Amino acid sequence: MDKRKYITVFVLVCLLLLQNVGMAAAADLTTKYRVYQYDRLMMEFSDYNKAVNYAKTMSNSHVEQIGTRKWLWDNFPRYKVYQYDHSSPAWEYRTLDAAVAEAKKWANASVKDLHTGGWVWNNYPKYKVYQGENTLPSWNFADLNSAVKEAKKWANAHIIDLRTNRWVWDNVPEAKKRELRSGPAVYQVYQGTYTSEKWKFAYLEDAVNEALKWADSVVVNTARNQRIVFSNIRDYGVYQDDKLLKKFVHIDAAIAYAKQWAHAKITFGQREIWNNYPYYRVYQGDKLIGEYNTIQAALGFAMKYANASIATYHGVKVWDNFTRLLFWGWNGMSDPVAIQSQVSQTAGLDIDSPTWFELTNADGSLKDSSNAETVQWLKKQGIAVHPLVNNQFKGDMTSQFLSSAKAQDKFIGSLVSRCAELGVDGINLDFESLAGSDRNAYTAFVKKLAARAHAEGLKVSIDLPRGSVKWNHLTAYDHAQLAQIVDYVIIMAYDQHYSGSPSPGSVAGLQWAEEGVKEFLSYGIPRDKLILGIPFYVREWKLDGTGKMIGNRALYMKDIPALLSDIQAVKTWDESFNQYRVEYEQDGFRHVFWLEDESTVKQRMEIARKYELAGVAAWRLGYEPAALWETAIKAK
């Protein structure tokens, strides 16, 4: 080989090595920040600034640190505008100036400071203009000068100070007043149903002055069907909690009095128009355990409790720390009777995945073993249905299938149409043993399938092997891209040691499973999409006297207690797997397996909870003892 060729080859090899190293040492995209709107999780980010910029596109949002749940940024409002007791999310503001600008557009409006309670601005009227007995909604004013200016436009007008209900101004000539007083006495004062002959007047002002001597009185025009023309009713009631303390004729006096009391509110008719209750309420479950003026103070208290939530005074939930895990179970079969038997012994199962669909050949033909009655039965149990579709683990056939757009369209059309017809909730995709060269083709296929499924309202989940970041870029599974397409990614965190392994070991060591979670997170997969697969089985290894492996078999969890009671087994703690290693002698051979029981299932659920994953998925139902579900439902 000449020197130039040698250099060329050397450069190409170096570039290839650099590419592989670069891919193996790809940036850690583990999400560190979550964006919420109210209590609804919107998106996860690995970059803080991107999280904040996204949160700024919506109101009532916040950014929190995953793990600690510490709030790092929010745009929750401080001021809220009301018209009487009505408000809306659009009337919430960070600044007082913005809130007042909106409130000025409305009559009988107020601005509440959510951090202190009570009002910081209002335009409830203090003066009302009348022409004789008549008035208009627009004749309400905040100051006397404005009221007088309007009243002067009209003859025989007068002004009532609504804070005292006193007649404070009029432009009725004295001669006109004498004339009216000489007329018929049509104005009668009532206090409740009581009245008196002394309470009859010909001139309205005289009747008003008499009515002011008596609380909760009115003036009616007896000549006009007992029409109420003046009211001295104390319409504003001050309460402490639900106990009435006192009533007032105007909101200002009511507020001045109510401020003396904690947990006070003011009603106007049936409306609660003012209160000094703390705006944020902390609950544990359904029980109110605390009230705070600021959300930060509420958070500081709520985070001390499990199953806590924060809601506004109006009942809008803005935060919770509920950590309920989804529990997903695969059936591993299609038989309706067996599926019902498996599911019937569960407790807390959220999603069931029967093995109903299969890619039968490269032309896109679909084998359908589904059962509509089973779908209906599962849904009556409150369990969502996400049937599994597999490729028979045939890599060569799948490669041919992925090379044909026509075959993919045929397969996707049949699968999605049948799932929509059945009324299932989603599709669980389990294509395994794929060639690394099919990486891009498989991603494109999943994207096409998900688009069709989502158009029918179906969710799509994908099962991916535990793998390793070091060499995953060489496989068919582009985790980062696939996670953007599907609704759930399930880590098949088992078969660490499988039937073809060269040496004995655990099906899924606890450290190995947890490392798998961290690696999947490093691809940038959002935690609320990620589900941890857990085994309901172990693999027992058979060794001869020299330690040579003779064979192995799968043992179901439900059969292990009986096996242990029949043999003299030795249990030793194995730190390399964080599990008990079980050994026994039988027929001249040594048998060994790593124990799976209720304790290990609980620990796997704790891993999912530790990393705030969406849930766990068990392979498979029917392998477990019924008692396991009592542990599982408590750990949800």
Side-chain angles (χ1 to χ4, degrees), residues 16 23 71 92 169 202 207 221 223 230 240 292 311 325 477 595:
L16 182 59
M23 297 182 80
W71 280 36
E92 296 174 345
W169 182 94
N221 187 331
F230 172 82
Q240 187 175 39
Y292 296 87
L325 294 172
Y477 307 110
L595 185 63

Side-chain angles (χ1 to χ4, degrees), residues 53-64:
N53 288 336
Y54 177 73
K56 286 179 178 179
T57 64
M58 60 196 83
S59 62
N60 293 283
S61 63
H62 76 270
V63 177
E64 68 177 39

Side-chain angles (χ1 to χ4, degrees), residues 476-588:
Y477 307 110
D478 188 337
H479 292 69
Q481 291 298 316
L482 292 171
Q484 294 181 30
I485 297 167
V486 301
D487 301 285
Y488 292 110
V489 174
I490 303 178
I491 311 172
M492 293 189 286
Y494 37 79
D495 283 347
Q496 179 182 3
H497 292 82
Y498 57 99
S499 60
S501 291
S503 60
S506 171
V507 163
L510 271 297
Q511 305 99 313
W512 179 82
E514 183 169 358
E515 284 301 316
V517 170
K518 290 196 274 189
E519 290 196 345
F520 269 59
L521 289 173
S522 75
Y523 299 125
I525 301 174
R527 295 160 196 262
D528 65 326
K529 280 189 174 186
L530 198 55
I531 294 177
L532 175 63
I534 61 177
F536 277 178
Y537 67 97
V538 303
R539 189 157 295 281
E540 183 189 72
W541 309 87
K542 185 177 180 181
L543 309 173
D544 66 14
T546 66
K548 180 182 178 181
M549 192 164 64
I550 303 300
N552 61 74
R553 63 169 178 161
L555 287 178
Y556 304 156
M557 280 180 62
K558 66 181 180 181
D559 297 329
I560 293 175
L563 173 65
L564 293 176
S565 68
D566 292 341
I567 60 175
Q568 291 185 341
V570 177
K571 288 171 59 177
T572 56
W573 182 252
D574 188 340
E575 290 187 355
S576 62
F577 296 112
N578 271 354
Q579 292 173 279
Y580 280 104
R581 175 188 172 111
V582 181
E583 295 186 63
Y584 66 94
E585 300 287 338
Q586 190 177 66
D587 300 330

Side-chain angles (χ1 to χ4, degrees), residues 447-478:
K447 186 174 184 179
K448 188 186 298 185
L449 170 60
R452 289 286 298 275
H454 288 158
E456 293 291 343
L458 300 167
K459 293 186 180 297
V460 176
S461 58
I462 190 167
D463 306 334
L464 297 179
R466 154 72 167 76
S468 172
V469 167
K470 295 177 182 178
W471 46 260
N472 191 70
H473 61 281
L474 302 175
T475 73
Y477 307 110
D478 188 337

